[in-house]
């Protein structure tokens, strides 16, 4: 599937020429000189022209609006890719109205029920902009809710898998590791790995009320080791100060099976919430991508119509088409289109200082025919 397409329109102005005859010439030239370039008709309906002033005013907004609609389309596509990756789902081909994206573009049919052709062009464009803007706003809210749950899970995971200096210790400590009585208490000391011998030889001397040989190795990571130490409750504060002076950190910890079970249940609920929200958001994105892409193609049809009238004049008489030339064939295809345009002043159109016409089509290059690029990925 191609990911980059040109939507172009050619004038039908030669004596006796029709859109069908220009289409036949285009097909013939492409097949003879650039056979590897897919070519399709792009069916633009007879829209309501209005006044020249209204077309000129609309053309000023068309390029900027196209950037917005295209941008929302790509945002949703990226969100879909992220959600599929997060769920371990293999990315599938996106569809628009039940058909592949490229098929919808190359077989485009105007939706008269959604966008009546007799409506003013400004109204059609305004409807598309408001629909797409609403979808973008909805996506921001839905994505924020999903990302909030992901952030909560990430914070919990960091606590459970980070350094011993900061991580949650409840899943490392067993009931038998802790001694709690009226007078005795067990503390958890975080000892740098290279200082374990120092700890074992000195912890008993940090206070006279430390229970001899009470320290036990529980766990260690790449930086620290976790030790227990039992002492009288009345000297806890003094012990912490003396330990800190020697480079040992005493973590505040209270063993609670109920709290540990609550944390486990909270984690499970967050995981379930995350998966449910991921699935829901993914389905919404599939439907919204279809909606936005369809709106975008209708917008492109309006753009072709307006720019063709402003370029070729009234009454509307032009052929619109979609091409997907390989990079190596682009120059040749441009030459074919220019030749079919039949504009004797084509050198003028290539002038680098022709800013006015370049701005109309929104392309950095200037051509004697309407042309703009669609990137569907």
């Amino acid at each position: 599937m191609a990911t980059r397409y040109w939507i172009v329109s050619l004038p039908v102005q030669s004596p006796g020429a029709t859109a069908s005859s220009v289409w036949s010439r285009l097909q013939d030239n492409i097949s003879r000189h650039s056979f590897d370039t897919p070519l399709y008709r792009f069916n633009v309906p007879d829209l309501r022209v209005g006044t020249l002033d209204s077309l000129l005013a609309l053309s000023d907004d068309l390029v900027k609006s196209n950037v917005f609609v295209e941008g929302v389309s790509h945002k949703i596509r990226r969100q879909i890719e992220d959600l599929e990756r997060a769920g371990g789902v293999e990315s599938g081909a996106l569809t628009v109205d039940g058909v592949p994206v490229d098929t919808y573009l190359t077989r485009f049919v105007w939706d008269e029920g959604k966008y009546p052709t007799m409506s003013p062009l400004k109204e059609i464009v305004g409807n598309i902009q408001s629909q797409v803007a609403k979808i973008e706003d909805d996506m921001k809210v839905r994505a924020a809710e999903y990302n909030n749950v992901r952030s909560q899970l990430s914070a919990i995971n960091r606590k459970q898998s980070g350094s011993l200096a900061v991580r949650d210790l409840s899943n490392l400590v067993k009931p038998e590791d802790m001694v709690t009585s009226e007078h005795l208490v067990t503390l958890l000391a975080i000892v740098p790995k290279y200082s374990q011998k120092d700890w074992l030889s000195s912890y008993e001397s940090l206070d006279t009320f430390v229970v001899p040989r009470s320290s036990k190795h529980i766990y260690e990571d790449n930086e620290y080791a976790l030790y227990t130490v039992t002492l009288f409750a009345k000297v806890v504060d003094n012990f912490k100060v003396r330990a800190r002076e020697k480079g040992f950190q005493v973590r505040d910890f209270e063993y609670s099976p109920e709290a540990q079970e609550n944390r486990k249940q909270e984690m499970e609920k967050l995981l379930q919430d995350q998966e449910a929200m991921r699935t829901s958001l993914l389905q919404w994105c599939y439907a919204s991508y279809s909606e936005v892409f369809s709106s975008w193609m209708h917008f492109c049809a309006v753009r072709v119509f307006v720019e063709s009238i402003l370029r070729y004049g009234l009454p509307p008489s032009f052929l619109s088409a979609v091409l997907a030339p390989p990079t190596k064939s682009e120059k040749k295809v441009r030459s074919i289109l220019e030749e079919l345009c039949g504009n004797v002043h084509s050198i003028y159109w290539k002038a680098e200082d022709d800013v006015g016409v370049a701005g109309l089509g929104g392309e950095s290059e200037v051509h004697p025919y309407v042309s703009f690029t669609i990137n569907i990925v």
Side-chain angles (χ1 to χ4, degrees):
M1 180 186 79
T3 59
R4 186 168 179 268
Y5 294 85
W6 294 349
I7 296 182
V8 304
S9 83
L10 299 171
V12 180
Q13 295 176 329
S14 302
T18 63
S20 295
S21 65
V22 175
W23 172 244
S24 296
R25 289 177 59 199
L26 178 58
Q27 284 182 306
D28 181 59
N29 277 274
I30 291 294
S31 64
R32 284 193 292 114
H33 303 295
S34 184
F35 63 89
D36 55 351
T37 297
L39 171 66
Y40 312 91
R41 286 285 289 265
F42 187 71
N43 297 305
V44 178
D46 292 328
L47 299 171
R48 184 173 169 181
V49 175
T51 65
L52 185 59
D53 285 344
S54 67
L55 293 180
L56 285 169
L58 187 60
S59 72
D60 292 337
D61 192 41
L62 282 173
V63 176
K64 288 185 292 185
S65 298
N66 182 74
V67 171
F68 166 69
V69 177
E70 180 179 5
V72 175
S73 167
H74 293 331
K75 280 181 189 175
I76 298 175
R77 177 183 277 272
R78 286 193 297 270
Q79 183 71 71
I80 288 172
E81 292 170 350
D82 290 344
L83 292 169
E84 289 178 334
R85 191 161 46 245
V89 178
E90 186 175 345
S91 296
L94 294 177
T95 61
V96 180
D97 288 353
V99 299
V101 175
D102 57 329
T103 301
Y104 185 86
L105 167 58
T106 57
R107 302 285 189 271
F108 173 73
V109 177
W110 183 272
D111 187 341
E112 175 68 24
K114 198 170 186 180
Y115 305 106
T117 52
M118 288 309 296
S119 298
L121 293 177
K122 185 176 181 180
E123 181 180 312
I124 293 175
V125 171
N127 288 340
I128 292 173
Q129 289 172 326
S130 61
Q131 288 167 5
V132 174
K134 183 179 184 304
I135 289 174
E136 184 188 37
D137 289 342
D138 287 350
M139 186 177 74
K140 288 178 180 177
V141 173
R142 292 168 182 267
E145 292 173 348
Y146 171 68
N147 288 330
N148 181 49
V149 173
R150 289 185 67 188
S151 296
Q152 293 180 55
L153 277 170
S154 295
I156 293 174
N157 286 329
R158 281 196 299 273
K159 286 183 178 180
Q160 292 186 340
S161 60
S163 161
L164 281 171
V166 295
R167 68 171 288 177
D168 179 21
L169 303 177
S170 59
N171 60 338
L172 301 177
V173 180
K174 299 179 176 60
E176 57 267 26
D177 297 326
M178 308 300 291
V179 175
T180 303
S181 68
E182 183 180 352
H183 299 292
L184 294 177
V185 65
T186 297
L187 302 180
L188 298 179
I190 309 301
V191 179
K193 286 185 73 172
Y194 60 82
S195 301
Q196 292 185 73
K197 288 184 179 179
D198 186 23
W199 164 261
L200 292 171
S201 64
S202 66
Y203 78 89
E204 293 180 7
S205 63
L206 295 180
D207 195 281
T208 54
F209 290 93
V210 175
V211 176
R213 295 184 295 281
S214 64
S215 185
K216 183 171 71 170
H217 179 274
I218 301 295
Y219 179 84
E220 67 179 62
D221 59 21
N222 294 331
E223 300 177 82
Y224 300 99
L226 175 64
Y227 282 87
T228 61
V229 57
T230 303
L231 60 157
F232 280 78
K234 65 181 181 179
V235 298
V236 165
D237 291 340
N238 182 62
F239 182 87
K240 287 181 177 180
V241 172
R242 298 289 300 278
R244 187 164 57 248
E245 290 173 351
K246 290 186 67 66
F248 308 130
Q249 175 190 357
V250 177
R251 290 279 305 273
D252 291 328
F253 180 81
E254 181 179 346
Y255 185 77
S256 171
E258 294 81 8
Q260 188 171 351
E261 181 61 27
N262 288 339
R263 280 191 289 269
K264 181 180 177 182
Q265 291 178 1
E266 179 189 8
M267 180 74 166
E268 290 175 350
K269 183 178 184 306
L270 282 172
L271 285 169
Q272 292 172 358
D273 289 347
Q274 177 185 245
E275 181 56 25
M277 294 178 75
R278 188 196 69 81
T279 303
S280 174
L281 180 55
L282 183 58
Q283 293 305 315
W284 181 88
C285 283
Y286 286 146
S288 296
Y289 181 83
S290 174
E291 179 73 22
V292 171
F293 193 88
S294 173
S295 298
W296 184 22
M297 292 305 102
H298 283 79
F299 187 92
C300 288
V302 173
R303 187 177 172 190
V304 169
F305 184 79
V306 171
E307 293 185 11
S308 296
I309 292 176
L310 293 176
R311 180 68 64 92
Y312 311 133
L314 289 170
S317 184
F318 59 89
L319 165 77
S320 51
V322 175
L323 304 95
T327 304
K328 62 182 177 62
S329 301
E330 287 186 0
K331 189 174 181 180
K332 182 60 182 175
V333 173
R334 288 291 184 199
S335 175
I336 292 172
L337 293 170
E338 186 172 313
E339 181 182 340
L340 287 173
C341 190
N343 196 309
V344 295
H345 303 298
S346 61
I347 295 176
Y348 165 78
W349 289 100
K350 292 180 182 177
E352 293 182 359
D353 60 351
D354 190 8
V355 180
V357 178
L360 176 67
E363 301 282 309
S364 58
E365 293 183 73
V366 185
H367 309 288
Y369 49 87
V370 172
S371 173
F372 51 90
T373 302
I374 296 293
N375 295 296
I376 64 174
V377 175

